Amino acid sequence: MSRTDERYNVKETEAKWQKTWEDRQSFLATEDPSRPKYFVLEMFPYPSGRIHMGHVRNYALGDVVARYKRARGFNVLHPMGWDAFGLPAENAAIERGVHPAKWTRENIAAMREQLKSMGLSYDWSRELATCEPEYYRHEQKMFLDFLKAGLVYRKESWVNWDPVENTVLANEQVIDGRGWRSGALVEKRLLSQWFLKITAFADDLLDSLQTLDRWPERVRIMQENWIGRSEGARLTWNLKDRDDSLDIFTTRPDTLFGAAFLAISPNHPLAGELAAHNPALAEFIAECNRMGTSEAVVEAAEKKGMDTGLKAFHPFVPGWELPVYVANFVLMEYGSGAIFGCPAHDQRDLDFARKYGLTVKPVVLPADADAASFQVGDEAYSGDGTLFNSDFLDGLDVPAAKAAAIARIEAGKIGEKTVNWRLRDWGVSRQRYWGCPIPIIHCDTCGPVPVPEADLPVRLPEDVSFDKPGNPLDHHPTWKNVACPCCGKPARRETDTFDTFFESSWYFARYCSPNRADVAFDRSAADYWMSVDQYIGGIEHAVLHLLYSRFFTRALKTCGYLGVKEPFAGLLTQGMVCHETYKDEAGAWLYPDEVVKGEGGGLVHAQTGKTVALGRSEKMSKSKRNVVDPAHIIATYGADTARLFMLSDSPPERDLEWTEAGIDGAWRYVNRLWRLTALAVDSLPAIGTAMPELGEAAAKLRRQVHKTIAAVSDDLDRFHFNKAVARIRELTNALGDFKAEDAGDWWVMREGLESAALLIAPMMPHLAEEIWLELGHAQPVVDTAWPLAEAALLVEDSVTIAVQVNGKLRATIALPKDCDAKLAEETALAQEAVIAAMSGKPPRKVVVVANRIVNVVV
Ligand code: ANZ
Ligand code: ZN
């Protein structure tokens, strides 16, 4: 068979190289202080059972970075693991009777094989699964250390209760008033919970965002908003006919003369007290609580209130009484759970005032408005301006008026300047089985007692049943019954487990020494590897996971575990993988492989032939069936093709449109590059052959080769993977079009093919290895350095000039056109042939004729 007919055998080739890398332990990482380190990490997956295209994209991106940095001489750590606790495992147990541990471990095994088939350069010896006691024992210890350090406390608090999942949800797990997984309307309940004091680091979490200059601006802004620092004032209002007062928080003390009412949260203690004698108010409060009082719910809901009948005295104007309402939009968890409302300058207050017939008195005059006629209609005015209708504040601008009002408040000792944070402490208790047990024992005499360190880990019992609703740990017959570590009397274990964000808040550091049983991290290993140099994952984790990890790293530093406070120095948030959607005539979603092109060119159902409606492209999701299974793609076209397509079509942070044509194009490229090599290889000069004289076309091609090397390196440094791929494809086309005739041509062909193999290796590592081997190299690409571009070849106008030693031609060199004499002289004297001709003597004279010749006299 001639080589032209040979085909690239993807399956065999990819399996062969995966085995080679494994046998050679190519990706095993060890600390080596003599080399610069590079820790690249992709967000670890939840072991749902199968990888999806989002995973493929995420891990392909990470692998390019890892392999590229490796080739550039970095000591790379690139690990993988499993975020293995969580609800789906329990749901599987409830629905299918399979134990969460078994379900999870089987899923991990299946997904590990899938990941291995992608040829990812992971150090598998560092694999971890968070559901194993070898992992979670360390976080139990961390929790106890945080407790000692004052970073943990227990508090009765209102929680979001998901009536379907039977569990507490974090605020951020409530989306538009519904549970993030169940979609059920969330209710309020009062429970005793463990909290981590993330607010203790609020200032630093905010300020340090400035230092994260390799994070996307957008993510930093999201974090900033989530932390939500507000400068304002706390102010006390005296209540009429009561020996009592009300504290409010405001960011606009300048608008105090425009106040129309006070409002307290339905969960404010005063509201509760009044409701005890006021059934209508009690009913109103109950209604608010049914609706939920989280920010998201409140934002969406109609603003409602009820007059309590109480009056409050304005702090600056003797005798001015304002009504006090209970209002559904005032959150108990923010500020002091009470506000003053200024309808003219706050939209919510305005809507409220219109509804309940309260006065709307503007006190800030916009620059172009007239004081006599300015009015507020349906829209509150929240901009800048000059104060009016405001006594001692009249004539001041907003910032000055804020300062003046605060000065007066502080002078009168009725309040002070304060800073308020939107950030709340992190409630970590979950009434769930498949999570890390909270290492606490409850004793009727001693209260909550930490489990002694010697008794860690508190293992999750595996003999549990899921036939009753609620927490299996709670109804396990024996597990929770233990003696109190303090007094020895019968006591009960805490049956709550940690929020699963707990595990993902420190896993990155565990990778530094994942097999140490005695400690969470080997300190010197952590000092060597941390922080993660490049973290890659979905934008959906832009707030919580990243914020919790930043907090955890600080808490671990406080407790002496780690030396750094920022876990992730660089962050890349990748876009989604999208696909067209299809519906049949009945409106049911169809899978892409159920749809074909009909005779008329329109889309039809593959079996029934009936018309199919094409919908817009959306994120691949099971619910819309617009998914393509990566396993199928890899089995058909190989991992390299899938990886190449993932990288080539759009920049990583943007959404990617999955198309049949795109994957086809990638597949054809794989074959083209392979065939190009196979056809050329017999004509190529041996490895290491000195460069012969080059004709014009060869010199030109060579310049393209080196320009490609430089540009691709630059692209990869900036994560412009799609551009890098496009450039390598251009080079491949140029090599394919090149008609090699003489020795110089073939020499450049070799250089071009070798460069293409090395440059494409981070994206298509298997094909690169195969080509490299075909080109005669004994040492695989994984152990070969990144190619370097010759500077002189990067300039568009380069000239080839002669170098003579004592009048005899010894070499030709490529130089930028019109370059300075010094570069010409240095380059000439560095040529091996020139050095040889000089036989160790120093040059007596060097004459450079620009763009023509370098004459060396010895
Ligand atoms: C009077 C006022 C006048 C306000 C005005 C705003 C505009 P941020 O920026 O988010 O901190 N507020 C205070 N506590 C609240 C609570 N527990 N629930 C709901 N709203 C609350 O917002 C601070 C502003 O939100 C405060 O300033 C207060 O209304 C309201 F023209 O006070 B302001
Ligand atoms: Zn006790």
Side-chain angles (χ1 to χ4, degrees), residues 230 249-252 255 329-342 345-346 348-349 420:
S230 282
F249 170 70
T250 178
T251 49
R252 296 294 304 272
T255 65
F329 63 83
V330 183
L331 308 167
M332 193 55 221
E333 299 82 24
Y334 191 71
S336 58
I339 65 158
F340 85 80
C342 175
H345 302 293
D346 182 278
R348 246 177 1 193
D349 296 348
N420 229 314

Side-chain angles (χ1 to χ4, degrees), residues 275-289:
H277 315 284
N278 183 343
L281 186 61
E283 174 46 32
F284 176 70
I285 293 171
E287 186 194 323
C288 294
N289 282 333

Side-chain angles (χ1 to χ4, degrees), residues 138-211:
H138 301 294
E139 72 185 35
Q140 292 177 336
K141 167 90 162 50
M142 286 170 194
F143 177 79
L144 298 180
D145 286 338
F146 293 172
L147 188 64
K148 273 187 229 149
L151 292 170
V152 170
Y153 62 95
R154 192 167 167 78
K155 184 179 82 172
E156 279 255 297
S157 73
W158 289 100
V159 295
N160 305 299
W161 181 259
D162 185 321
V164 170
E165 304 265 9
N166 276 320
T167 192
V168 174
L169 300 175
N171 280 340
E172 34 298 0
Q173 291 173 329
V174 180
I175 294 157
D176 295 332
R178 293 174 181 274
W180 68 319
R181 292 200 189 216
S182 71
L185 278 175
V186 168
E187 299 166 4
K188 283 273 148 182
R189 286 208 185 171
L190 200 57
L191 276 186
S192 227
Q193 308 270 295
W194 291 101
F195 284 83
L196 295 197
K197 245 191 220 167
I198 189 168
T199 56
F201 295 95
D203 268 308
D204 190 40
L205 287 168
L206 183 69
D207 294 345
S208 302
L209 286 171
Q210 310 280 343
T211 67

Side-chain angles (χ1 to χ4, degrees), residues 177 214 289 327 499 582 589 779 829:
R214 290 199 294 114
N289 282 333
D499 178 1
Y582 310 104
W589 299 105
Q779 175 180 275
L829 294 178

Side-chain angles (χ1 to χ4, degrees), residues 529-581:
W529 291 114
M530 287 296 288
S531 311
V532 174
D533 295 275
Q534 190 59 50
Y535 197 34
I536 307 174
I539 188 80
E540 66 274 20
H541 293 298
V543 176
L544 292 178
H545 162 56
L546 294 177
L547 197 58
Y548 290 151
S549 299
R550 295 181 66 220
F551 156 68
F552 230 86
T553 307
R554 283 164 171 76
L556 289 171
K557 183 167 185 272
T558 305
C559 296
Y561 281 76
L562 290 173
V564 297
K565 67 178 187 181
E566 286 296 345
F568 313 119
L571 174 70
L572 176 68
T573 48
Q574 102 240 8
M576 298 179 298
V577 183
C578 302
H579 196 286
E580 289 174 339
T581 47

Side-chain angles (χ1 to χ4, degrees), residues 443 445-446 484 486-487:
C443 170
T445 313
C446 314
C484 169
C486 272
C487 68

